[in-house]
Amino acid sequence: MNRKYRRTVIAGNWKMNKTPSETKEFMTALKGMLPRGRWCDIALCVPAVCIPAAVRAMRETRVSIGAENCSPNPSGAYTGEISTGMLLDAGCKYVIIGHSERRAMGETDQQINAKVLAALNAGLIPILCCGESLEQREAGITSEWIAMQIKLALLGVPEDKIRKVVIAYEPIWAIGTGRTATPEQAEEVCEHIRVVVRKLYSSKNARAISILYGGSMNEKNAYELLAQPDIDGGLIGGASLVPEKFVQIIEAANQPTD
Ligand code: PEP
C-alpha cells in the first residue's frame, strides 16, 4: 500500500451468497464491530436483491455498497439485466466488472470494456478484475495475459476518468481455492499492472490508481499481502461473509506505509 498517493480499498465480493434477511443480520453485526479509524475505504459488493437491505443498513456508516455486475446498456429490452443508472439510484458506489467467474460464463473482453465505460459514465467506481489461469502462469504468459486484459478493458477510458477505476488482480487458481498467491507473486503482477497503466496513461495516473489483490485473502494472510508497495487493498470473497474475518482484514490495512 501507499496511502500517500492512493486510496486503500477493502472490498468484499459476496458472490451468490446471503439473502436480504441475512444481509441485514450481517450488516448489523458488522456495524457493531467496525473499527473507528479511517485508514481505508470499505465496500461490500452484494447480490442485486440484497442491495436495498445493505444500503439501508449501512446508510449512516462509512461502508459503501457495490454490485457484482452491471449491464453495458443504459435501458431497454434486456430482460434480467440491471443498468449502472439503476445501481447508482439504488445507492451503490462500486460495481465489480469482469470477475473470472463471469468470464467463465462467457463474458468477453469487449463486454467488459463496455461495462467499464457504462460504470464510469454513471458515476460508479468499477472494480475491474483480471487474472491468469494456472495453465497460463505455468506457460509463463502471465504478464502478457494481464496486459492484454487491462488494455482491452480500458479501451476508450479517458485520461480524466482513469483514476476512478480500481483494478483487482485475481489469479484464477487462487480464487476460492484456499491457495493464495505469495505476497511476492501478487506484488510482481500488481506492479506490472501499474506499469501497464503508466504506459497507457501517465506516471501520475499510474501512481494514483488503486490496485487490489484477490484470491483467498483472509484474516491470516492479509497483513503480509497489504504490506506490498503495489497492493492497495483486497477483493475478498469467502472471508467477507464473516463479519469478524472481514473486520480483521480491515484492521490489517492499518499498518505503516511508505
Ligand atoms: C473473489 O471472489 O473475488 C475472491 C477473491 O474469492 P475468495 O476470496 O473466496 O478466493
Side-chain angles (χ1 to χ4, degrees):
M1 299 182 296
N2 190 324
R3 275 195 291 272
K4 195 164 136 200
Y5 294 119
R6 44 196 180 254
R7 291 191 325 263
T8 300
V9 183
I10 301 296
N13 172 19
W14 277 8
K15 313 189 190 205
M16 199 171 72
N17 291 299
K18 295 198 190 289
T19 61
S21 314
E22 289 165 346
T23 300
K24 196 176 163 196
E25 269 170 44
F26 175 98
M27 297 297 172
T28 308
L30 181 65
K31 260 200 279 195
M33 57 179 86
L34 262 186
R36 286 189 185 279
R38 291 186 171 252
W39 49 82
C40 63
D41 291 358
I42 306 169
L44 278 163
C45 299
V46 303
V49 292
C50 300
I51 290 170
V55 169
R56 216 175 303 123
M58 297 322 248
R59 193 161 280 145
E60 302 292 313
T61 75
R62 51 184 295 230
V63 177
S64 304
I65 302 305
E68 299 176 10
N69 182 34
C70 65
S71 168
N73 302 297
S75 63
Y78 302 100
T79 303
E81 291 288 280
I82 301 176
S83 75
T84 51
M86 292 170 186
L87 295 175
L88 190 77
D89 191 66
C92 286
K93 182 172 169 188
Y94 292 87
V95 56
I96 297 173
I97 296 176
H99 193 281
S100 60
E101 287 157 14
R102 295 206 58 83
R103 291 180 191 257
M105 290 177 223
E107 195 164 273
T108 65
D109 286 305
Q110 201 184 9
Q111 288 167 333
I112 289 163
N113 175 233
K115 290 179 183 195
V116 169
L117 296 174
L120 289 171
N121 283 338
L124 290 171
I125 300 175
I127 302 180
L128 166 64
C129 300
C130 61
E132 82 289 1
S133 65
L134 191 57
E135 210 181 8
Q136 289 163 335
R137 173 160 283 266
E138 284 171 351
I141 59 165
T142 298
S143 304
E144 290 86 345
W145 181 256
I146 299 289
M148 186 200 68
Q149 285 187 323
I150 298 292
K151 285 179 189 171
L152 291 174
L154 295 180
L155 271 178
V157 173
E159 173 126 28
D160 65 339
K161 293 247 173 85
I162 185 60
R163 290 183 192 207
K164 299 253 181 264
V165 178
V166 171
I167 298 178
Y169 166 55
E170 298 209 308
I172 297 169
W173 47 271
I175 298 179
T177 58
R179 184 177 165 187
T180 320
T182 64
E184 294 73 27
Q185 283 172 323
E187 168 61 18
E188 189 184 14
V189 181
C190 291
E191 188 187 2
H192 171 63
I193 292 170
R194 209 176 295 288
V195 171
V196 174
V197 174
R198 192 180 72 218
K199 287 183 182 158
L200 289 174
Y201 294 91
S202 66
S203 309
K204 267 195 173 171
N205 284 318
R207 199 173 62 184
I209 197 168
S210 299
I211 302 175
L212 319 184
Y213 167 77
S216 299
M217 190 189 262
N218 58 37
E219 68 288 1
K220 296 190 186 83
N221 58 32
Y223 192 96
E224 241 196 304
L225 285 160
L226 296 172
Q228 302 301 313
D230 288 288
I231 300 180
D232 305 309
L235 182 56
I236 299 123
S240 74
L241 295 166
V242 183
E244 291 80 2
K245 292 185 182 180
F246 192 56
V247 163
Q248 283 180 60
I249 298 173
I250 294 167
E251 279 163 351
N254 184 20
Q255 55 177 284
T257 75
D258 288 341

